[in-house]
């Protein structure tokens, strides 16, 4: 897994536990996602996108533009 989700978490001065609590998963599961042991699900991608106010493409490193698309 890329380190973009780790970078986003650190840029927002959040712990793994804080992110996990906000997106409704355990810290262990979040740690596995962040380190690439467990893949991102669509649901978690959407949750992280909303939490950090960035596009899913940005999280997946398909773009360097973090701006979310207009709804």
């Amino acid at each position: 897994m890329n380190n973009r989700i780790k970078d986003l978490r650190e840029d927002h001065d959040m712990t793994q536990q804080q992110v996990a609590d906000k997106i409704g998963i355990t810290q262990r599961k979040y740690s596995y996602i962040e380190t690439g042991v467990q893949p991102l699900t669509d649901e978690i991608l959407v949750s992280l996108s909303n939490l950090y106010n960035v596009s899913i493409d940005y999280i997946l490193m398909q773009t360097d533009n973090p701006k979310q698309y207009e709804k």
Side-chain angles (χ1 to χ4, degrees), residues 39-57:
L40 279 165
T41 64
D42 294 345
E43 183 178 302
I44 291 172
L45 270 171
V46 170
S47 295
L48 290 171
S49 173
N50 290 332
L51 175 65
Y52 296 126
N53 197 31
V54 298
S55 71
I56 290 172
D57 285 345

